[in-house]
Amino acid sequence: VKAINGLKLRGSWGLTGSQGIGPYGTLSTYVTNTDDAGVVFNGKGGVVNGILLGNPGNPNLKWETTEQTNFGVDIGLWNDRLMFFGDYFVKNTRDLLMLRGLPGYIGGYSIQSNIGQISNKGFEFALSATPLAHRNFQWNTSFNLSLLENKVVSLGSDRDTIPANENVLIPGYSMNSFWGYRYLGTWKPYQADEAARYGLRPGDPRYEDVDGNGIIDESDYRIIGNGIPRTTLGWNNTIRYKQLTFSVFFQGVFGFDKLNYTYANGMIGSTDARQIIFADIKDRYIPGVNETSDIPAFQPNGVANYSTIIQSSRFMEKGDFIRLKNISLSYSLAKDKLRHIGGAQVSFSAANLFTITKYKGIDPETNSAAVSGLTWENLVTDVQQGIDFGSYPNAKTFTLGINLTF
């Protein structure tokens, strides 16, 4: 085919090892601080430093291993005026390096272990084109698309769930799954008898009683969302006309959820908010006035009705967005008009100009998690994406620059 000037099929397979643990992480440690190992001799005097076993070493520890397989195709058309790149990848990480908690009867603390397996697979596509190319005018455009499926394959032989605050690891689900109550709206007047089983009344929040025991507690926690985007895309355009260059870049992220704690606390008047600060409260359940609303009624003084629960699907939102990430305009002065300098360029750029989203928070791209160290009780920051608890948004910036070359 004359239009095709380049065709390449690619394939690769490889293993990568990781020893991502701290120095001396494989050795046994001792604790000497007074809080954990302090002692008082003969019941007299103050507390002095003692010594006890801390994290025991693990002589059987081995590297974390990532196995990746990739198949791809590159196609060039019309002298590379149009280029297409496509990839399919499978990335499996096994023998994850994790700190596993130990029971108190053998000293407590934790031991570095190889546990579990994580799988990532998906497609990546890229399209690059030069629709117009003339002497004084050129337009280049590129588009990329990524599709990702992430899931936990295994957590070892002796555990099938690792809960950690708002997140949970469960085989078969995303490694950034959210964990909490499923919100079913408010109890309505025709459900008064059923609400009474839980000591509630119409207008109170209703949560799914998963085990059907008539009590809403942590045994009713279920997966309520996923914080890892399934689809990401980018679109960049660059237009040049003589010495003038214009560039614009759009970003899109789809298929992920946000746990909006900022909105939650503003709706229940908790922590720093103190008072309810969102106008949505005007649409709350009001007996005899607005009995169809799924926003709970005000809680009477001294009456518990679960209205302060925030770790639930009530405050889980879709974080999908499209953003004008960057736009720039520059002008380069012609060299024949410059005498004492080699070149001059004036530029103006702006970032994060606008975002199209249904997310109620300030910025769907930000994240409040700042946790380090993968343990049974504590997941790394990569696993805790999608929590918004007053996180600082990406700033809208404007930049004016002058570049001189001598």
Side-chain angles (χ1 to χ4, degrees), residues 83-393:
M83 300 183 69
F84 172 81
F85 308 91
D87 287 271
Y88 172 73
F89 65 90
V90 178
K91 182 178 180 181
N92 295 314
T93 302
R94 59 179 184 269
D95 299 324
L96 296 169
L97 291 168
M98 301 176 67
L99 284 171
R100 181 176 181 181
L102 296 175
Y105 62 80
I106 60 172
Y109 294 96
S110 55
I111 183 172
Q112 196 79 49
S113 306
N114 294 105
I115 303 168
Q117 180 177 343
I118 302 294
S119 170
N120 290 280
K121 61 182 178 180
F123 295 90
E124 293 181 343
F125 303 102
L127 190 66
S128 176
T130 306
L132 296 173
H134 300 288
R135 179 181 178 184
N136 294 322
F137 183 85
Q138 183 171 317
W139 172 28
N140 299 103
T141 184
S142 61
F143 179 84
N144 61 78
L145 173 68
S146 298
L147 307 173
L148 174 66
E149 179 185 341
N150 167 275
K151 70 176 180 179
V152 177
V153 178
S154 170
L155 295 175
S157 60
D158 59 349
R159 196 161 185 179
D160 59 4
T161 302
I162 302 180
N165 300 322
E166 298 87 356
N167 298 98
V168 67
L169 291 178
I170 298 178
Y173 293 90
S174 164
M175 64 182 296
N176 185 211
S177 295
F178 288 109
W179 187 239
Y181 297 111
R182 292 177 182 170
Y183 184 63
L184 303 179
T186 58
W187 290 103
K188 302 302 189 289
Y190 66 89
Q191 299 170 319
D193 292 341
E194 187 178 356
R197 292 181 53 216
Y198 301 89
L200 302 175
R201 59 185 182 178
D204 290 339
R206 181 187 178 194
Y207 298 95
E208 183 178 6
D209 183 7
V210 177
D211 55 14
N213 65 354
I215 302 173
I216 301 298
D217 55 23
E218 290 186 0
S219 64
D220 297 308
Y221 274 16
R222 289 297 181 269
I223 290 178
I224 57 176
N226 164 49
I228 296 181
R230 294 181 176 88
T231 304
T232 59
L233 60 86
W235 183 33
N236 187 65
N237 287 274
T238 301
I239 298 174
R240 296 181 178 87
Y241 176 69
K242 294 185 178 180
Q243 285 79 44
L244 193 67
T245 302
F246 173 76
S247 179
V248 58
F249 173 64
F250 288 92
Q251 172 194 21
V253 182
F254 308 93
F256 73 107
D257 301 303
K258 297 279 289 186
L259 186 53
N260 194 346
Y261 273 173
T262 306
Y263 178 74
N265 285 282
M267 283 295 289
I268 65 176
S270 176
T271 61
D272 293 340
R274 299 300 180 188
Q275 302 294 332
I276 297 174
I277 59 176
F278 290 106
D280 288 353
I281 198 64
K282 294 180 179 179
D283 190 38
R284 69 188 182 279
Y285 186 105
I286 301 175
V289 178
N290 183 11
E291 296 183 336
T292 60
S293 174
D294 284 325
I295 298 176
F298 283 150
Q299 177 180 347
N301 292 332
V303 177
N305 67 351
Y306 302 111
S307 63
T308 58
I309 291 176
I310 60 176
Q311 190 172 332
S312 77
S313 58
R314 177 186 173 190
F315 300 110
M316 189 67 62
E317 301 180 36
K318 293 295 182 183
D320 302 0
F321 69 90
I322 296 177
R323 166 171 289 164
L324 176 54
K325 190 66 177 179
N326 188 274
I327 186 170
S328 65
L329 180 66
S330 63
Y331 182 79
S332 300
L333 297 177
K335 292 184 178 181
D336 58 357
K337 296 183 179 180
L338 303 174
R339 295 183 178 181
H340 304 292
I341 58 177
Q345 184 185 69
V346 179
S347 63
F348 172 79
S349 65
N352 304 311
L353 278 184
F354 69 82
T355 303
I356 301 174
T357 182
K358 293 183 179 180
Y359 179 61
K360 294 179 181 178
I362 298 176
D363 188 349
E365 194 176 11
T366 57
N367 183 45
S368 296
V371 180
S372 61
L374 186 57
T375 69
W376 286 100
E377 297 82 15
N378 193 14
L379 305 181
V380 292
T381 303
D382 288 344
V383 179
Q384 290 191 315
Q385 300 179 52
I387 300 175
D388 185 353
F389 200 169
S391 53
Y392 197 82

